[in-house]
Amino acid sequence: MSKKVINHPNNAVQETIDGFVMANKHSYKKLENHTGIVYKNLKNKVGVLVGGGSGHEPLFLGLIGEGLADGVALGNLFAAPTPDTITEVAKTIHAGQGVIFVYGNYSGDVLNFDMAAELLEMEGMKVETVRVSDDIASAPAERKEERRGIAGDMFVIKIAGAAAEQRMALEEVVRVTRKANDNTFSMGVALSPGTIPGETEPNFTLDEDEIELGLGIHGEPGVEKKKMMPADELVDIMMERILDESTITKGSEVCVLINGLGSTTLMELLIVNRRVGEILEEKEITIYAMDANSYCTTQEMAGFSITLFQLDDELKALYDVPAIAPYYKKL
């Protein structure tokens, strides 16, 4: 069993929420009897609700704040939030302008968020949904709607929050958020697994000298296992696949996110970032912004993902809208 600084596994999610709210008590409140958190500074605008399973911190609870999400619905470890929690968060953040759900494209989340949307619509609330599907390894381009959401959540949620902050109508918030999702392309690689608190076995296995390209954040199968290799060689393989799957070509402008999966050090992420920057410059693709940090994690999983977010004038303007949350800032 992996060593974890917890009390009882059954209490880990609630105690995480309690610790987060205690650390940020002037800005956030938790919903009683639900694993939901709401930003206190709500405004007369479209409400942005994000969420998914716990265990990927700082996603999703770390993205509630100014210019980002207004509320988060959390599930148990690697499990979808309940429809009851989702509906309670939505009702709390609703300011009469409708609510947009933004979450990763996983079957449990789809089922529960859709159920919550139906219940809310029956009560007269306007609800729209954008499912993040940036993981190019999880399905071919012609079946993009089946792709998983991984670290690309960061860009899609950033755009949704900015659009709402600019007081766009619900239909416009949905349109630009879907555009952001369509323009976001990611691929990950795992070096070693993470362990869910309370479990005795890791969520997948790899040999000591083995890595897996495209493996999902819950241990979903990847596309290829390879022997460990130098960072530049690995990045070259991943970038070739991302660029081949995307519409990003010479003259495009992108934001870059190098995301650590849990135990990967900042040193390693910056080495990866360096090679990604070199490749983009060689291909005459303009880098508007780069970030190397651990936002979408899986406990102590080792590995990283590369995300490219293709900009146009509209998306760039929304990306530049300031955003402030405990674990993410764009000023």
Side-chain angles (χ1 to χ4, degrees):
M1 180 184 291
S2 177
K3 296 176 182 176
K4 301 279 187 184
V5 185
I6 61 172
N7 293 306
H8 193 283
N10 291 348
N11 300 330
V13 173
Q14 191 59 61
E15 290 177 357
T16 299
I17 292 171
D18 290 344
F20 174 86
V21 174
M22 284 181 183
N24 303 280
K25 62 183 179 181
H26 298 299
S27 300
Y28 304 93
K29 63 180 180 181
K30 69 174 182 178
L31 300 187
E32 294 302 323
N33 304 315
H34 291 282
T35 49
I37 308 171
V38 172
Y39 188 46
K40 288 183 178 178
N41 187 25
L42 297 176
K43 301 175 182 178
N44 185 24
K45 66 178 186 64
V46 170
V48 179
L49 194 161
V50 303
S54 300
H56 303 298
E57 290 75 27
L59 199 71
F60 291 90
L61 59 76
L63 292 186
I64 320 170
E66 201 74 16
L68 291 163
D70 301 294
V72 60
L74 295 171
N76 287 327
L77 290 154
F78 297 1
T82 66
D84 282 352
T85 294
I86 299 164
T87 56
E88 284 305 308
V89 175
K91 288 177 182 178
T92 305
I93 68 172
H94 187 230
Q97 310 299 315
V99 173
I100 181 172
F101 294 168
V102 186
Y103 59 89
N105 188 31
Y106 295 90
S107 57
D109 293 299
V110 171
L111 180 67
N112 288 0
F113 275 94
D114 280 356
M115 190 179 301
E118 290 177 12
L119 293 169
L120 292 165
E121 287 165 352
M122 288 171 61
E123 297 183 22
M125 186 186 298
K126 292 176 66 177
V127 179
E128 295 285 353
T129 295
V130 176
R131 301 183 187 106
V132 183
S133 54
D134 57 304
D135 184 1
I136 66 162
S138 55
E142 61 269 19
R143 302 205 317 271
K144 180 174 170 59
E145 71 280 357
E146 298 176 17
R147 287 178 171 174
R148 301 182 290 250
I150 49 175
D153 280 272
M154 298 297 299
F155 290 120
V156 181
I157 293 169
K158 171 70 182 71
I159 296 303
E165 188 71 23
Q166 297 297 295
R167 304 302 194 273
M168 289 186 178
L170 180 60
E171 294 75 14
E172 282 295 284
V173 175
V174 172
R175 180 186 63 80
V176 295
T177 305
R178 286 182 177 151
K179 184 203 278 191
N181 184 54
D182 290 341
N183 283 27
T184 304
F185 309 91
S186 302
M187 186 174 189
V189 61
L191 281 65
S192 65
T195 307
I196 301 173
E199 297 289 332
T200 58
E201 299 294 333
N203 52 357
F204 63 91
T205 58
L206 287 171
D207 293 338
E208 282 296 315
D209 64 343
E210 193 174 47
I211 61 175
E212 186 162 358
L213 291 167
L215 190 135
I217 57 173
H218 305 100
E220 299 93 342
V223 292
E224 187 177 4
K225 290 183 178 180
K226 289 181 172 291
K227 297 298 182 183
M228 190 60 195
M229 63 186 75
D232 285 2
E233 291 180 28
L234 180 54
V235 171
D236 288 353
I237 292 170
M238 295 170 69
M239 283 293 288
E240 181 178 9
R241 296 191 182 204
I242 292 170
L243 292 172
D244 284 349
E245 285 283 339
S246 75
T247 54
I248 299 167
T249 58
K250 178 180 177 180
S252 296
E253 190 168 22
V254 298
C255 295
V256 178
L257 171 60
I258 310 303
N259 176 71
L261 295 179
S263 69
T264 310
T265 65
L266 183 57
M267 178 183 74
E268 294 167 277
L269 299 181
L270 292 173
I271 290 169
V272 169
N273 192 69
R274 161 196 156 275
R275 182 57 187 156
V276 169
E278 289 176 348
I279 292 170
L280 293 173
E281 289 174 6
E282 289 165 6
K283 294 184 177 296
E284 299 182 50
I285 296 167
T286 300
I287 301 168
Y288 186 66
M290 301 188 86
D291 192 359
N293 212 326
S294 295
Y295 293 117
C296 177
T297 67
T298 303
Q299 299 298 290
E300 70 280 8
M301 185 190 289
F304 65 91
S305 60
I306 301 170
T307 301
L308 301 183
F309 175 44
Q310 186 174 6
L311 297 171
D312 61 11
D313 290 343
E314 181 178 45
L315 291 176
K316 184 192 289 188
L318 290 168
Y319 178 77
D320 282 341
V321 173
I324 303 174
Y327 300 98
Y328 178 84
K329 289 181 174 61
K330 171 69 177 71
L331 301 174

